[in-house]
Amino acid sequence: MSKAVVDLPPKGGFSFDLCRRNEMLISKGVHPPSFRKTGTTIVGLVFKDGVILGADTRATEGPIVCDKNCEKIHYIAPNIYCCGAGTAADTEAVTDMVSSQLQLHRYHTGRESRVITALTLLKSHLFSYQGYVSAALVLGGVDITGPHLHTIYPHGSTDTLPFATMGSGSLAAMAVFESKFREGLTREEGIELVCEAICSGIFNDLGSGSNVDVCVITKGHKEYLRNHQMPNPRTYVSSKGYTFPKGLTEVLTTKITPLKEKVEVIEGNDAMEE
Amino acid sequence: MSIFEYNGSALIAMVGKNCFAIASDRRLGVQLQTIATDFQRIYKIHDKLYIGLSGLATDAQTLYQRLFFRHKLYQLREERDMKPETFANLVSAILYEKRFGPYFCQPVIAGLGDDDKPFICTMDSIGAKELAKDFVVAGTASESLYGACESMYKPDMVCSIFSCTYIYKHKVLDIFGPFTKPLHPSNPTEKRKKFMASYICKPTKCRLDLTNY
């Protein structure tokens, strides 16, 4: 049988095998599930020595918060980071893909990656999928030509800006930036402004929440401040707690399987003899 | 009606002290009709790695078969078992490959990694990973499970399974029948026949409990 049933590792890219079946299900009135989105506030700004990126940490699945502390600032290169808003799987996959492409490029050229390279790779990938890969990104980094900050929209258009916000909380954060941003901020001022903008998104937008992540990139150095601010601690914890006495739930059968130690065979020094 | 509610499912995994626990319900339904009460949703990949698949049952079984196959290939090539973090990446990649025609499954992965450190993770149907340090839930009863876990979870529980079972006892209504509506009034005795399977895995042994609730 040449049409192999064997599932070999694919050559890469998307596979559309199940599309026809899914279309049939939709026509029968069965709706596809909602994907995990990062209704988000992501920001970036250029300061005196480099770029500061900020993001909130809430991931939502419809109206439910499924992850209270997710990471939205993704690594692209040692000198380039990218914040992602939109469908979580898309932002993760697209940034991972570009990150590996850039690593290969660095091996080929022997040089530090440029932000514009990452930008072009991302925008051409997103454009070729015509917006169906729903990833809105804020890309920032410092390379040989200086600090750069770009925004990338799901359809593939880009902007180059001194300060940028994206996501559902972008208006709340942009309000803070527009009133308080100025050229030539110091590192402390920049971090404070970014935190204020993200907090504005956290408190005023329902899709954003939990903590503030900040990433500071300067020439030759980067600092990823995970959970730099935690303005939403869990305030009420039941003092008594919940105890579950054994036997509360009737156990019908129990099967205990001891796990075997895997024995390692170390080859002796003697060569095999015939 | 959503495709996820066609068969119905509830899955939970929790981290305890040097152990993890993963539990699921065992009902298989076709919308409102219960077809089976012993349907397996949690599968063993290797001694220290389990995956639970919620959502459409046919996709769950197919996905499990593909993943088990890939793991067996890995074992042949690398002569060792896959670490849970690696396996989570594999599942994520396989699900994202079908980004525009996805499997209608939400996996919950639980395993013991390096130094027997417990690892749990869940994903949406296209592979967006969510790594958690405390608990993960999936399935049609996920909203209720989130609430129950948030309030009852304590770190470092020696037998986190009991929390799982207690939570299930509470959430009987959500596990039987249509998942967004209360129990059907005409068959209140059905729930006694519902079973739940839970695995609790420590570095030296693994225990499977079938419990009633």
Side-chain angles (χ1 to χ4, degrees), chain A residues 193-209:
Chain A
L193 183 57
V194 159
C195 287
E196 221 185 301
I198 298 284
C199 283
S200 161
I202 285 174
F203 295 123
N204 299 101
D205 174 44
L206 295 178
S208 317

Side-chain angles (χ1 to χ4, degrees), chain A residues 7 15 21-22 31 33 36 66-68 90 234 242 244 248 250 252-255 257 259 262, chain B residues 3-4 59 66 69 81 96-99 124 128 130 146 150 154 166 204 206 208-210 212:
Chain A
D7 173 32
S15 127
R21 178 208 61 166
N22 292 1
H31 298 293
R36 184 167 300 147
C66 55
D67 195 350
K68 297 191 290 282
D90 287 334
R234 188 175 170 167
Y242 295 91
F244 308 108
L248 185 67
E250 181 197 334
L252 298 169
T253 56
T254 304
K255 190 173 93 166
T257 323
L259 300 179
K262 288 232 151 74
Chain B
I3 189 70
F4 268 139
D59 276 353
R66 284 190 65 188
F69 170 79
D81 292 329
Y96 192 70
E97 205 197 338
K98 305 259 185 268
R99 164 65 171 91
D124 70 351
E130 182 207 327
Y146 273 125
E150 274 293 344
K154 287 194 304 277
Y166 188 68
T204 49
C206 168
L208 159 63
D209 283 330
L210 288 174
N212 194 4

